[in-house]
Amino acid sequence: VNAPIAGTFVTDGSGPAIAACLAAARTSSPCEQGIDDQKIKSALVRLTWQVSPRNKFAAYFDEIDKFRGHAMFAGDDYNTASVVWNSPAYHTGSAKWTSTVSSRFMLEGGYSNNTEDYTNESQPGVNQPRFSQGWYAGAARRDLDLVTTSVQPLISNISTQSPLRYNLQASGSYVTGSHNIKVGWQRTFGHFGHTYDGNADLDQQYRSNSTGIPFTVPNTVAVYNTPMAPREELMYDQGIYAQDQWTVKRLTLNAGLRYEWVDARVPAQDAPAGRFTPARSYPETPHVPKQHDPAPRFGLAYDLFGNGKTALKYSINRYNASRTTGDANSGAQRYNPLARTSATLNWTDLNRDNIAQGELGCVYLTANCEIDLSGLPSNFGFRALTVQDPNIQRTWNLEQGVEVQHELLPRVSVTASYYRGNFHDLLFSDNRSITLNDWTAYSVFNPMDGTPMTIYDFKLAPGATTKPAVDTFDTNNSQQKRWFVTYG
């Protein structure tokens, strides 16, 4: 699938060439448009083996190789600022054994895997050896006024993502028709890896409204704490369950209990020194989180008139919040001290070579120091750690539902339903470095009715120029509630 991308041009990547294409875009002879060339190769193998009259083995493996030759946005230079997307390992597989022990008893066991490694890379030849002359000169150029990029993709667009998950499960079912029982076990585990890197550890940014030609007025740089390769691991998310179904005359009851355990961690990690950050090393952060909770389920269905045409249904179930490695809001990634961060700093191109020069410790506007590094936080590159309450509880939802279903005609029915869910033990994050004394009250007038009202603004300590360091503590807020209602 070759997709033309609006607002892209095939040029030599220079400011005058891009400016000419921007002007030509409004004429009858526009520049050649950039094409995002894509292809997917997919192969699927499925196997079923009847081992014996009562035993069956089934497996499949699905491999997808996706390639994007020039992933880009409007304004990106086709030859240098577009991204190559590869999927070195992108597949799903499973294997399952089924055994019909008797006419009423069946055993099942299985394994599955999902791997979705993909890379967002620069075009061939764009990446340069770290700290070489070409590496410094190869920073992305981003014009903030004309919204165009050249030389290299923005560092925020260059990364690799490597999520991997395994699943094991087993169950046994006893079925009579009026009474059905099932018990089972499930366990999933895996990891999520990332890498971030790019030329010069920065993006050069320009303002060009006065000239109309991109990359002519150096303005700022966006510096990054690259390189790094953070990783999170899900040790296990497992549960055991039992469910029972009884049918007594016109009433069918379903009851079940599932108990779940989860444990995730951030392994010990290291990151080499970058241009704007020293080498970093962190010990393991275990049990983020480590929790165990019940998840009961109950439902009933009643044949209202005994003719099989009108059913009244009710259910009440508890659902525990899912836990994954790659969830930056509630998963292990939230507690990983290695995270990509950036800062925007002033840049003056003193020698007019169009290369942002400057290293940690240099004095701004002196030889080889064109970046105002005084604006870089002293702890840049070191993520402010989020601490988890050892007694934190898993967020859960208690959901109830009522439903009426009626058959109007053969093969035609209508349904009316009402569901309500209430969420408990919501995540609450408190920045412990800020207290009530750090806020100042102001009186303003309500624009709606003119009455006075009080608002609060952050107050800096005497002589301070920045807010206190972030010290986030994750716990539960018993007073905070969230719910939803659906009906139809």
Side-chain angles (χ1 to χ4, degrees), residues 69-72 76-84 121-123 152-153:
H70 296 82
M72 53 191 163
D76 288 351
D77 173 51
Y78 173 83
N79 291 307
T80 61
S82 59
V83 171
V84 182
E121 308 165 0
S122 300
Q123 292 294 331
Q152 177 192 258

Side-chain angles (χ1 to χ4, degrees), residues 321-339:
S322 62
R323 294 295 193 184
T324 63
T325 51
D327 188 349
N329 295 317
S330 62
Q333 189 177 120
R334 180 178 179 84
Y335 305 98
N336 195 331
L338 273 181

Side-chain angles (χ1 to χ4, degrees), residues 58-99:
Y60 85 92
F61 187 82
D62 186 8
E63 173 68 29
I64 298 176
D65 293 329
K66 181 172 182 177
F67 172 80
R68 295 182 66 181
H70 296 82
M72 53 191 163
F73 302 99
D76 288 351
D77 173 51
Y78 173 83
N79 291 307
T80 61
S82 59
V83 171
V84 182
W85 183 349
N86 283 298
S87 53
Y90 209 98
H91 53 250
T92 300
S94 74
K96 184 178 181 180
W97 185 284
T98 304
S99 179

Side-chain angles (χ1 to χ4, degrees), residues 334-335 379 382-389 428-435 438 458 467-475:
R334 180 178 179 84
Y335 305 98
N379 63 342
F382 295 84
R383 182 178 185 178
L385 293 182
T386 299
V387 178
Q388 181 182 256
D389 183 345
F428 174 74
S429 297
D430 178 27
N431 185 357
R432 295 180 295 185
S433 66
I434 297 178
T435 68
D438 294 313
F458 189 80
K467 295 180 181 180
V470 177
D471 177 18
T472 305
F473 182 70
D474 281 354
T475 186

Side-chain angles (χ1 to χ4, degrees), residues 2-3 39 48 66-67 71 112 133 139 141 164 174 188 224 248 251 272 276 278 305 326 351 374 441 457 482:
N2 292 338
K39 60 183 178 181
T48 302
K66 181 172 182 177
F67 172 80
S112 63
Q133 184 177 356
R141 298 179 186 177
L164 185 149
Y174 182 77
T188 182
Y224 292 84
V248 181
L251 178 66
F276 303 104
F305 303 112
N351 60 8
S374 65
D457 193 13
R482 189 169 80 242

Side-chain angles (χ1 to χ4, degrees), residues 217-239:
V217 184
N219 178 257
T220 54
V221 291
V223 303
Y224 292 84
N225 61 337
T226 46
M228 64 175 60
R231 174 186 172 103
E232 301 87 36
E233 296 179 353
L234 179 66
M235 310 304 291
Y236 56 79
D237 183 358
Q238 67 177 343

Side-chain angles (χ1 to χ4, degrees), residues 241-386:
Y241 63 91
Q243 59 190 53
D244 196 358
Q245 181 185 80
W246 279 89
T247 300
V248 181
K249 296 183 179 179
R250 290 189 283 169
L251 178 66
T252 299
L253 295 174
N254 291 277
L257 177 62
R258 179 182 176 91
Y259 205 91
E260 300 174 338
W261 294 263
V262 63
D263 188 11
R265 70 167 187 165
V266 178
Q269 297 177 97
D270 298 291
R275 183 175 176 181
F276 303 104
T277 53
R280 290 142 289 170
S281 181
Y282 299 99
E284 175 186 330
T285 305
H287 311 319
V288 281
K290 185 175 185 179
Q291 298 166 330
H292 56 90
D293 303 276
R297 312 287 166 86
F298 177 77
L300 61 83
Y302 184 68
D303 183 355
L304 203 56
F305 303 112
N307 57 6
K309 292 188 175 183
T310 306
L312 176 64
K313 303 176 183 180
Y314 170 76
S315 63
I316 180 170
N317 303 300
R318 168 171 168 158
Y319 301 96
N320 296 318
S322 62
R323 294 295 193 184
T324 63
T325 51
D327 188 349
N329 295 317
S330 62
Q333 189 177 120
R334 180 178 179 84
Y335 305 98
N336 195 331
L338 273 181
R340 185 180 59 191
T341 58
S342 65
T344 300
L345 307 174
N346 291 326
W347 166 39
T348 302
D349 191 13
L350 293 175
N351 60 8
R352 299 186 179 182
D353 65 352
N354 219 3
I355 300 174
Q357 296 163 339
E359 305 297 328
L360 289 175
C362 74
V363 178
Y364 185 44
L365 299 182
T366 62
N368 299 318
C369 193
E370 302 175 341
I371 303 171
D372 185 6
L373 291 166
S374 65
L376 195 67
S378 58
N379 63 342
F380 177 73
F382 295 84
R383 182 178 185 178
L385 293 182
T386 299

